[in-house]
Every structure is written in C-alpha cells, then in structure tokens.
Amino acid sequence: ARIGHILKAGQHLLHMINEVLDLARVESGRLQLSIEPVSLGVCLKNAAAIVQTLCDERHVQIIYDISEYDDLYVSAAIRQLTQVLINLLSNAAKYNHIDGFILLNCHLSSRETVQLNISDSGIGMSASKLSCLFQPFERLGAEHSGIEGTGLGLAISKRFVEAAGGSVSVKSVEGVGSTFSLALPRCKTPNLIVSSSKLPSIESEV
C-alpha cells in the first residue's frame, strides 16, 4: 500500500513538473507548435478513450455522435489539442455527479470557425469563480475536496488553444453544470488541400 502511494505521488509530481514546463514555454513564447490539418473526430475519440476509465469510476457517460465530426478538420497542433481535450473531459468527469453525463456537440459558427462544446451535469461554478478560472494554480477551493489536480490544466489549455489561433470560453450555473466552448480555426481536409495544390494555374489569354 505504501509503495502504491509513493508511486502515485511520484506520478502526480512528474505531471505537475511537465505542466509547469509547458506553461513556462507558452509564457516565454518558446513553445513551438506544429500546426497542421487535424481531424477533430480522431482527437475526440482518442481523448475520450483515455478519460474512459475515470468516467467508469464515477459512472459518468460521455455522449456524442462521432458521425458529426466526419471530414471535420481544424488547424491545430495535434498533441496539444489532444491534451486540451483530455484536460476538459477529465475535469468534466471529476467535477460531475455520480451517474452524470458529459455531452459533446459541435457546429460551424462561421465558414472559418468550428465551435466544440463540452457540457457536463456537474457541480458548476459561481460567477465570481469563473473570473479566476484560467489563472495558474487556481483551484477555486477544490484543493480541499479531495479531487486531484494542480490548477494548471485550464491555464495551459487556454494558452495552447490561443497559440493555435483559437479561443476558449465557459458558461456555468452552480449546482447545474458547466459548458466549455472551443472555437477552432476550420480548414480543408488534407486530400482537398493536396488536390487543390495540384490544380494547373489558369493564365488569361492575351
């Protein structure tokens, strides 16, 4: 039992160190993002699979229609976007009620932007807490709840999304739940990008 606690504490410390380093890279402008067309559906499936064990422990169901994301690509860095989705889904599970749900849906808010909404049936937050939500090391009192966390995940997620040209917003009602919205730059599917680049140039006749 002691060895298990030591390993768990070590993993938590390593995770915190990595998050501090990520935040430092973003804040100093030294973070190098590899922006490319990324399948939003694939990222969501991978993130949901990683968070599934946590959801099972809390009997929280992730609800989404994967066909909604067919051929939907965004301009992003795939590793960082997946990290953002894992963080948001993990929080939606951790701060949810037992037998609660996480609802995912997306829509095109414009020709250039995809909006992904992650809604939960959790404990929600007051307006005063929302104003501090994305501050580093701010856990809004959750440090006394027994729920694990560093207070860095949301701060890093916001900076990752903004560094790729997107934005993050949140709405919440205390005791009802929260909705985090990611506005991500939309792009063509990779095969369309390749095809259009091979089109012959059209020159006007003299």
Side-chain angles (χ1 to χ4, degrees):
R2 286 186 179 180
I3 293 176
H5 287 308
I6 291 171
L7 289 174
K8 191 173 183 179
Q11 290 170 351
H12 179 74
L13 180 59
L14 180 61
H15 180 65
M16 185 174 183
I17 290 171
N18 286 332
E19 287 192 322
V20 170
L21 290 174
D22 277 340
L23 184 62
R25 292 188 188 101
V26 175
E27 298 286 6
S28 66
R30 290 186 292 107
L31 179 70
Q32 299 295 320
L33 293 180
S34 179
I35 305 296
E36 60 184 329
V38 174
S39 168
L40 187 55
V42 170
C43 272
L44 274 176
K45 281 180 66 176
N46 291 340
I50 291 171
V51 177
Q52 190 60 54
T53 299
L54 176 61
C55 289
D56 291 343
E57 290 173 356
R58 297 190 57 79
H59 303 282
V60 172
Q61 184 180 7
I62 300 178
I63 305 170
Y64 70 112
D65 181 0
I66 191 60
S67 65
E68 189 177 6
Y69 305 91
D70 286 347
D71 299 322
L72 192 55
Y73 282 75
V74 296
S75 293
I78 187 168
R79 187 181 74 83
Q80 282 79 12
L81 179 57
T82 304
Q83 186 176 334
V84 168
L85 295 176
I86 290 171
N87 179 263
L88 294 178
L89 290 174
S90 295
N91 283 348
K94 289 190 293 185
Y95 297 100
N96 215 317
H97 299 294
I98 300 297
D99 295 321
F101 65 83
I102 302 168
L103 178 63
L104 309 179
N105 65 74
C106 75
H107 68 272
L108 304 179
S109 54
S110 72
R111 282 186 175 183
E112 295 81 23
T113 306
V114 176
Q115 181 170 314
L116 172 66
N117 300 313
I118 301 176
S119 303
D120 64 66
S121 58
I123 60 177
M125 292 167 280
S126 64
S128 60
K129 288 184 176 180
L130 284 179
S131 62
C132 306
L133 188 62
F134 295 102
Q135 297 300 316
F137 299 106
E138 179 58 71
R139 297 203 62 209
L140 307 179
E143 62 270 24
H144 307 300
S145 67
I147 298 174
E148 289 186 1
T150 63
L152 285 169
L154 287 177
I156 294 171
S157 294
K158 186 173 187 292
R159 287 158 176 78
F160 277 167
V161 172
E162 290 176 346
S167 63
V168 183
S169 59
V170 58
K171 295 179 180 178
S172 188
V173 177
E174 198 166 11
V176 177
S178 303
T179 296
F180 284 82
S181 298
L182 302 181
L184 304 167
R186 188 186 183 192
C187 69
K188 297 179 181 178
T189 60
N191 59 317
L192 287 177
I193 294 172
V194 172
S195 298
S196 61
S197 67
K198 292 182 178 180
L199 290 175
S201 59
I202 300 176
E203 297 181 0
S204 58
E205 295 183 2
V206 179

